Amino acid sequence: MACILPLPSREGDGGRGPTLSGIMIRANAGAAETDLAVQRRRVVLSGVVGTTLEWFDFLLYGLIAPAAFDRLFFPDWSAGAANVVVLSIYAAGYAARPLGALVFGHFGDRIGRKPMLYISLAMMGGATALMGVLPPYGTVGPVAGFLLLTLRALQGFALGGEVTGAVILASENGPAGRRGAFTSLVQIGGALGTVAASLAATLVAHLPDEAFLSWGWRLPFLSSAVLVLLGLYVRRHVAESPVFTAAMSARAPEPVPVAALLRRELRPTVVICLVQITQSSMLAIFTVFALVYGIGQGHVARADLLDGILIGNALGAVAMPAFGQLSDRLGRRPLIIFSLTLAVIYAALVLFPLLGTARAMVVTLVMAIPPAVIQ
């Protein structure tokens, strides 16, 4: 901005009008506020679209695999052993998330948030689309299971970068005193991605079994190749985080940011990691494990379970901004303690006992409550 020297005031000289400098300062301030508002809207849109696509891709495995992957990739195993392997590969995605968060966080602190968000989205979309063209065991033998594991690990690695980068970018652009509400808008993408994945899995689940096992299960995975292009297009308009830009102007980045973090903030880092592990575990229990348990042990219709996940996440997308605003008023800690305590009680006393009833309306309801209220 050019420096404007103040002109003599004409307001005190007959009240004939404001100074030229005052007009220019207000005009520049208004332009800056407009630019900031535009940037914030772009950050929210980018975060919602990117997070939706990432969670859509990541959860497709958990929603489709229990119905098909044991027969497609491990047909020579017993039903129980094949299910264990399928779920273990699903867990490999979660195991890779911390590594992805560390790597993407490291380079995000050194070269910026925006380029890492591009890479994470492209990596996730590529891994998911390739999963949709994987040959089954009958074509390539045990190599099929190894390729499935590799692509699942890549999905988790990419999600670790996306969740880290999108939330940080939103937080660093959020207005003071309203960062919880602002960041919650980006987190809506997780619920929307789950809704989209549930809807896709439900649609192909209605195909005849032969068609589903032959080609139907592939369609949701292949759709990621198109969806990721949309996400990359949206992200090209987002500017770098102002906090990151200011930090880079002040001093050079740490050679190894995570080492500096652990050296200076070890205890809070460990606490936050443990909380996140617990939250992610609850997500897996309320979706994939409940799905496997309901189908295998409770003999529940897959459509009833998926309907509950879909409805619950649709409600969760609406409720999430309200919880974000509540966190700005009450604090983050009370809400986290409340949600985790409620999750333990609900899983033990409500979810699994009622899944055993195999009644369609009851099953759908108990599957819908966690994503709508708890998570």
Side-chain angles (χ1 to χ4, degrees), residues 124-359:
M124 175 65 88
T128 305
L130 287 174
M131 199 174 284
V133 297
L134 275 180
Y137 181 92
T139 303
V140 296
V143 174
F146 174 77
L147 293 175
L148 183 65
L149 173 62
T150 301
L151 293 176
R152 179 61 186 170
L154 281 176
Q155 282 186 323
F157 188 85
L159 185 65
E162 171 66 29
V163 171
T164 302
V167 172
I168 288 175
L169 191 63
S171 178
E172 291 179 345
N173 279 277
R178 291 190 289 128
R179 287 197 174 92
F182 190 80
T183 306
S184 71
L185 297 176
V186 173
Q187 295 289 64
I188 288 174
L192 294 179
T194 306
V195 169
S198 301
L199 183 59
T202 300
L203 290 175
V204 297
H206 285 92
L207 291 170
D209 196 57
E210 182 178 351
F212 175 74
L213 291 175
S214 175
W215 53 267
W217 69 271
R218 300 180 183 275
L219 297 180
F221 292 96
L222 292 173
S223 68
S224 179
V226 177
L227 296 175
V228 73
L229 295 177
L230 170 64
L232 293 174
Y233 173 79
V234 170
R235 286 206 160 146
R236 74 188 184 96
H237 296 290
V238 177
E240 187 55 82
S241 161
V243 174
F244 174 81
T245 303
M248 292 300 99
S249 300
R251 65 176 184 177
E254 295 281 352
V256 184
V258 68
L261 174 67
L262 294 176
R263 185 171 62 252
R264 300 169 188 169
E265 303 288 348
L266 177 60
R267 185 176 182 276
T269 301
V270 172
V271 170
I272 291 172
C273 286
L274 292 176
V275 169
Q276 184 59 35
I277 289 171
T278 306
Q279 189 273 337
S280 297
S281 299
M282 289 300 169
L283 174 64
I285 290 171
F286 289 140
T287 52
V288 177
F289 185 76
L291 190 65
V292 173
Y293 176 87
I295 294 173
Q297 302 298 320
H299 305 290
V300 180
R302 183 168 66 243
D304 295 335
L305 295 162
L306 290 173
D307 284 346
I309 295 173
L310 190 154
I311 293 170
N313 278 277
L315 294 174
V318 176
M320 206 168 291
F323 284 114
Q325 291 179 354
L326 197 60
S327 76
D328 286 330
R329 295 186 178 186
L330 302 180
R332 326 303 184 203
R333 183 178 177 183
L335 286 186
I336 291 173
I337 293 174
F338 171 77
S339 66
L340 294 181
T341 303
L342 183 60
V344 172
I345 296 172
Y346 187 83
L349 302 181
V350 180
L351 177 64
F352 292 106
L354 291 182
L355 281 180
T357 66
R359 297 171 59 183

